[in-house]
Amino acid sequence: MPRLPAPEDYGMSSPRPSRGVTEISAVQVRPDLATGKAMQDIGVMMQQEAEKLDETIALDALNQLQNKQLELTYGDNGFTKVQGKGVIDRKITAEFPTQLQTEAERLSGTIQSNAARQRFQAQANNVMRGFKANVYGHAAKETETFQVQTEEARISTTGQAANLAAARGDVEGVAKGLTTARETVEGAIRRRGLEGPQADEARQKALGAVHSNVLEGLLQGNQPALASAWLKTNRAEMTVAQAKQFDGRIKTEESWARGDTMVRDLMAQGKTTAEIESAVAAESKKSGDKALYDSAVHTLGNITTVRTKAYAENADRAQDEIN
């Protein structure tokens, strides 16, 4: 009967099973440097992208805050539209920064990332500081403007009152008005810190207007002599142009007053019209004062007209009586 070949048939010994654990030698694993570097690069890229995202979110919020800043500055209801007394009435140094601060807090609350929020808040603080500085600067400028306007209005009102007082011959009223004007002007000069020539210039500009009103009132009241004395006393508180203007006017008014007086005196002496005209012409030529002659002729003409009219009326009445 045929059989399978055995190991002995080939000169080999038969294997014998042994008890125990088969030992397997350890496998040495070497790291993959390329893979590790790739993983590290991915981590860096992810970090960079996260930072870019935070920066973009912060910038978006900052843009919105700056748009609000522009609206609060130049918009229809911006602080630059508030002028003069309004900056005090509305207390804009508190009102507008508070509005921008409220908007900054709202935008900060919409940011989820702590890093992005911190970026935004740091830049928002810079925006707030600049905005506050602009608001305070505008408030200071408009407050100064309001103060100047108030002072000028007071001086103007005082000048007008002095004008009326002078025209009425109210010396006390004129003096009171001038005292008030001087106090206002000196207060403004101190507040603005002006000294020397600058103070003199401000004083002349303001008080010159008051003196001009007084002189106008005196001339309207037919008091050229008083106007001349006033100008002489207060010339230092007037501008050169103002003083020069009244120099000419007062001289003319004085000439007209002298011409009028001269004609009336000569008529009172019984001088004829021809004699009066001759005397006036001689005096005008001697003094070089043409206004004196013009005034005398004007007065003489008026008086002659009145007398002629009176003679005619008397003649008519006499004729009526005869009839």
Side-chain angles (χ1 to χ4, degrees):
M1 176 177 176
R3 65 182 182 82
L4 294 172
E8 291 82 358
D9 295 335
Y10 301 98
M12 300 175 61
S13 59
S14 298
R16 296 180 180 179
S18 61
R19 296 180 180 274
V21 179
T22 304
E23 294 183 1
I24 302 175
S25 61
V27 179
Q28 294 183 349
V29 179
R30 288 184 291 182
D32 188 335
L33 297 179
T35 302
K37 186 175 186 303
M39 293 299 293
Q40 184 179 10
D41 290 344
I42 291 174
V44 171
M45 291 174 61
M46 292 177 65
Q47 179 64 29
Q48 290 175 343
E49 289 302 316
E51 291 177 356
K52 287 182 180 179
L53 181 60
D54 289 338
E55 183 176 352
T56 301
I57 293 173
L59 182 60
D60 178 61
L62 184 65
N63 287 340
Q64 295 181 59
L65 182 64
Q66 289 176 325
N67 286 335
K68 184 66 174 180
Q69 176 194 17
L70 290 174
E71 177 188 333
L72 292 174
T73 301
Y74 302 109
D76 292 339
N77 296 315
F79 73 81
T80 55
K81 298 294 190 297
V82 184
Q83 300 177 342
K85 189 172 181 289
V87 301
I88 300 173
D89 292 340
R90 288 185 58 178
K91 300 178 181 179
I92 68 169
T93 53
E95 175 185 344
F96 285 90
T98 298
Q99 291 186 51
L100 190 62
Q101 181 65 45
T102 299
E103 179 66 5
E105 292 173 356
R106 185 191 71 78
L107 290 169
S108 180
T110 64
I111 301 175
Q112 301 299 318
S113 167
N114 289 333
R117 189 183 307 111
Q118 290 173 358
R119 283 175 178 267
F120 166 72
Q121 289 174 343
Q123 296 178 58
N125 288 336
N126 291 333
V127 173
M128 286 297 305
R129 280 193 292 270
F131 182 70
K132 283 183 178 180
N134 291 336
V135 173
Y136 274 87
H138 178 75
K141 178 183 176 183
E142 289 303 317
T143 299
E144 172 67 17
T145 299
F146 173 57
Q147 288 176 324
V148 170
Q149 290 172 343
T150 301
E151 290 162 354
E152 289 178 346
R154 182 173 177 79
I155 293 169
S156 176
T157 300
T158 300
Q160 293 171 13
N163 176 296
L164 296 176
R168 296 193 306 268
D170 181 2
V171 178
E172 183 178 350
V174 173
K176 182 178 179 181
L178 184 59
T179 297
T180 300
R182 280 175 173 153
E183 289 175 351
T184 302
V185 171
E186 293 305 319
I189 288 174
R190 287 193 300 272
R191 180 178 58 77
R192 295 168 60 188
L194 301 179
E195 297 179 352
Q198 289 183 325
D200 292 338
E201 182 179 353
R203 194 174 288 113
Q204 289 174 341
K205 181 179 179 181
L207 292 179
V210 178
H211 289 305
S212 294
N213 273 288
V214 173
L215 291 168
E216 191 68 44
L218 291 173
L219 292 177
Q220 289 173 358
N222 295 317
Q223 302 179 76
L226 287 178
S228 179
W230 186 277
L231 178 60
K232 183 178 180 180
T233 302
N234 300 289
R235 182 181 290 271
E237 290 183 339
M238 301 178 70
T239 66
V240 174
Q242 288 170 334
K244 185 176 180 180
Q245 174 190 1
F246 281 98
D247 275 333
R249 288 188 59 190
I250 290 172
K251 183 178 179 180
T252 299
E253 292 294 334
E254 287 181 323
S255 295
W256 275 79
R258 285 171 55 209
D260 180 81
T261 300
M262 185 175 180
V263 169
R264 295 181 186 281
D265 288 344
L266 290 171
M267 292 186 74
Q269 297 172 21
K271 301 294 183 179
T272 65
T273 299
E275 289 174 331
I276 293 173
E277 289 182 347
S278 178
V280 168
E283 179 61 26
S284 175
K285 183 177 181 180
K286 178 182 176 181
S287 62
D289 190 351
K290 185 178 182 301
L292 171 68
Y293 178 80
D294 292 340
S295 172
V297 171
H298 178 77
T299 299
L300 186 60
N302 285 341
I303 292 176
T304 300
T305 299
V306 170
R307 283 184 172 180
T308 301
K309 183 178 180 181
Y311 290 150
E313 291 176 350
N314 289 334
D316 289 341
R317 282 197 296 270
Q319 187 63 43
D320 291 339
E321 291 176 358
I322 293 173
N323 295 334

